[in-house]
Amino acid sequence: MLDFALKVSVVLFAIAVVLNLYRVAVGPSLPDRILALDTMYVNSIALIVLFGIWLGHRTYFEAALLIAMLGFVSTVAVCKYLLRGDIIE
């Protein structure tokens, strides 16, 4: 049962990443593209965690944590640049 749920969730998250990629490329405005990129980070973290569960390795969880930290910092930096025009004050 867990194997089936894992496969279904990987497929659904992969579809979500593709749809987010479309929104990043076509997005009507820059904030929509930033939000789609942030959502893509979250979906990629979920894919990496699911892949780690599937293979049974702990290394993938550490990689997901690293991507989460980088995703948060980059989203804050891009939003700050969008609002103020400068990242470092």
Side-chain angles (χ1 to χ4, degrees), residues 4-87:
F4 175 73
L6 191 63
K7 289 178 184 177
V8 168
S9 60
V10 165
V11 169
L12 291 176
F13 275 111
I15 291 170
V17 167
V18 170
L19 291 174
N20 285 326
L21 186 62
Y22 173 76
R23 179 54 60 194
V24 167
V26 179
S29 66
L30 191 57
D32 288 332
R33 290 179 177 169
I34 293 171
L35 184 61
L37 192 62
D38 189 46
T39 307
M40 192 182 305
Y41 280 128
V42 172
N43 288 334
S44 66
I45 291 167
L47 278 174
I48 291 172
V49 167
L50 289 173
F51 193 64
I53 291 171
W54 184 40
L55 293 178
H57 291 286
R58 294 174 46 189
T59 308
Y60 293 101
F61 300 112
E62 294 172 6
L65 183 63
L66 181 66
I67 289 176
M69 290 187 307
L70 289 174
F72 174 74
V73 170
S74 66
T75 301
V76 168
V78 169
C79 289
K80 191 172 180 182
Y81 178 74
L82 183 66
L83 290 174
R84 297 185 184 170
D86 191 18
I87 296 175

